[in-house]
Structures are given as structure tokens and as C-alpha cells.
Amino acid sequence: MTDDRPTDPSPRKPRVALMGEFSAGKSTLANLLLGQNSSPVQVTATQLPPVWYQLGTPGAQRIGLDGAATPLPAEDWTAVSPEDTQMILARLDADILQACDLIDLPGTSDPNMAPDFWDTFLPKVDLAIWCTPANQAWRQSEAALWEQVPPQLWTKSLLLITRIDKMQGERDRARVVARVRAEAGALFRDVLPISLTGALAGRDNDDVLETTGAAALVRFLCHALEGLDPPAPVETPRAAATVTPVHRNPPPSPAAGADIDTGTEPRIVPRRITRSKSQGARSRPEHRTA
């Protein structure tokens, strides 16, 4: 395979990780942001590797632990095993990917599984969106996992309360949001409720996007990405990826043999989700401290 990667360091896009426990809505969130109706990944088991989305000609590759890339069918990735897979690298022509990469990380409910996994991926992440379902919002297991996240991500990241539409009434919804903000607000830049299924079904309707919370999510991403320090340049790797802290040395490409898109960083406008014309620029919220 010909190595056509750039030989000079070049800018990279910010990387947004989608995180949370199983069945918290991460894959639905990814579909909403990417402007697609469904994902080849079937979230029915723990055996799922991370999925790294980049802008490019549609296609997918399985990146092995040795850095070797193998093409994957577009319609089904369920045969991929995390035991011998570093990640799935998926390229799509999606508006949001012009502004950032999305990394859909596997869900987990076992804090004992976290340290090695976080050590591998979190140094590559610039901000995170943690999904927590409204009916079991911000459980102790989630708090234990988030405590292992580097504190520098806390003031950049979002806690997204999913399935807010499943609550019985407005009072119950407000009560859940207030409790989660009281318990976890200091650990995130913001806490927002959202109905992902409603937003996905009505993503062509601005009013629906506003009432479901999707418009607020897009505004958060616009301001958060604009407020990030420019990512460090990517040095062309010579071997399989090795992890280095994001703010000290540039992180490697997802794997040797897999190119990183190095385009410019326009404003984030996910497909079919656009900022309101009346929404002007606003100052970046003050960072909270734990």
C-alpha cells in the first residue's frame, strides 16, 4: 500500500467523543449529527469497537491492533470483533465532519473495564458528549467512569440527558434536569435534555428541532468547537499508534495506514440541522470547576 500521507505536520480537526453506558442513545445521537437514518452498528452487545467518523468518500475500514486496514461492507459491521480490532474507521460526506471528527465509543456499565480503554482513547479527544437516559439519569456507575476522564475535558464537555420525552410530564422532566445539574453540573460545561428519536424523525422541521432540544445541542457544539484551542499538528506516524497526551504532543493518526482528513475547520452545521438566523454569536460560558 502506497503511503501518500503528508510528510509535513498539518492541522487536524477537533475530535468529539460520544460516550455513555449501554442503550443511552449514543448511536441515535451519531445518526442525528451525521444526518443518516441508521448505522451499520447494531448496539445489542458489548462486543463493539470504537467507530471513528471522518469526512471523505463513503467507506469503512477495520483497523487491526497491528494498524493494518481491511475494507468493511457498508451495510454490516457486526462481524467485527474488538478482541483483534483497534477501531472502525468510517468516512462519510456529512456536514458535521467538515468541522470535527466524531468518535462513537463503546458503552459500558462496568467501571472495572474503564482504565485501559480510557488510557487508549481519551488522550485523542478534544471534548466529549456523555449520554445519560432520563429514566436512570446520572447513575453512580456513570459518575465513577467520568471521574476517570482527564479534568481538562470537564470544562469543555456536555452531559446530554436523553429520552427526556419518556418522562410523564413537564414537572418530572424539570425535576430530572434540575437533579442532574445539581449533581453533575460542575463536572461539565453544560447539561442539556433532548429527545433524540423526536429530533431524528423531525430533523427537517426547525420547530421540532427546537422543542426536542436538538437545536440547543447544535448551538452548544458551535460555541464549544469555536472556543477550543487549535489542535496540535499531526506528525506523520512511522509505526502503529502510540498514545500521547493531547495538550503535550500531537496524537497519532487512528492507525498506521489510515489517513487523517486535514481540511479547514468551518462552523459546525450538521446535515439538516441549521442554526437559527436570529442566533448570533455569544461569549463562551465560564468554565466550571469540580
Side-chain angles (χ1 to χ4, degrees):
M1 180 176 180
T2 303
D3 188 350
D4 56 357
R5 290 166 291 172
T7 56
D8 296 326
S10 55
R12 67 164 177 82
K13 295 176 184 175
R15 295 162 179 174
V16 178
L18 308 183
M19 303 173 65
E21 295 188 332
F22 290 118
S23 301
K26 293 187 293 84
S27 293
T28 306
L29 173 61
N31 293 335
L32 176 66
L33 294 175
L34 293 168
Q36 56 185 15
N37 294 320
S38 62
S39 169
V41 177
Q42 301 297 315
V43 187
T44 57
T46 62
Q47 301 299 309
L48 292 174
V51 181
W52 191 312
Y53 294 98
Q54 293 181 340
L55 181 69
T57 303
Q61 295 175 312
R62 169 193 165 273
I63 308 301
L65 298 180
D66 59 355
T70 305
L72 287 176
E75 67 281 358
D76 185 12
W77 302 340
T78 55
V80 176
S81 170
E83 294 181 359
D84 58 359
T85 303
Q86 182 183 157
M87 71 183 68
I88 293 173
L89 179 61
R91 289 190 172 90
L92 294 172
D93 182 15
D95 293 341
I96 191 174
L97 299 180
Q98 297 181 28
C100 65
D101 289 359
L102 288 181
I103 308 175
D104 188 356
L105 297 179
T108 179
S109 299
D110 183 2
N112 295 324
M113 296 173 60
D116 291 342
F117 185 81
W118 295 158
D119 289 346
T120 300
F121 274 91
L122 288 184
K124 305 176 184 180
V125 171
D126 297 301
L127 69 88
I129 301 177
W130 184 283
C131 296
T132 184
N135 59 331
Q136 295 181 320
W138 198 241
R139 300 194 301 176
Q140 184 176 356
S141 55
E142 295 178 88
L145 285 171
W146 188 250
E147 287 177 358
Q148 301 177 50
V149 172
Q152 60 264 31
L153 283 180
W154 293 358
T155 55
K156 303 174 185 177
S157 299
L158 172 68
L159 180 55
L160 195 64
I161 306 175
T162 62
R163 300 181 187 169
I164 196 66
D165 53 311
K166 302 301 181 183
M167 307 306 294
Q168 292 297 321
E170 185 61 36
R171 178 176 295 182
D172 289 340
R173 290 192 284 270
R175 186 176 301 161
V176 168
V177 174
R179 177 182 65 80
V180 174
R181 282 178 173 161
E183 294 178 2
L187 303 177
F188 292 87
R189 173 168 173 159
D190 206 350
V191 178
L192 295 175
I194 193 170
S195 168
L196 290 172
T197 55
L200 194 60
R203 61 189 177 194
D204 292 323
N205 187 312
D206 290 342
D207 291 336
V208 171
L209 296 175
E210 195 67 51
T211 57
T212 57
L217 168 62
V218 172
R219 288 191 290 268
F220 170 88
L221 284 173
C222 288
H223 299 141
L225 290 176
E226 289 168 2
L228 286 176
D229 294 331
V234 176
E235 293 180 351
T236 304
R238 299 299 179 186
T242 55
V243 176
T244 53
V246 165
H247 296 292
R248 295 180 182 177
N249 295 303
S253 299
D259 298 337
I260 284 284
D261 184 274
T262 58
T264 58
E265 299 175 16
R267 289 176 179 268
I268 172 175
V269 186
R271 187 185 304 276
R272 304 191 185 197
I273 302 179
T274 57
R275 300 179 66 182
S276 170
K277 293 181 180 179
S278 62
Q279 176 64 30
R282 64 182 181 184
S283 61
R284 184 182 180 189
E286 293 182 2
H287 287 177
R288 299 185 178 96
T289 56

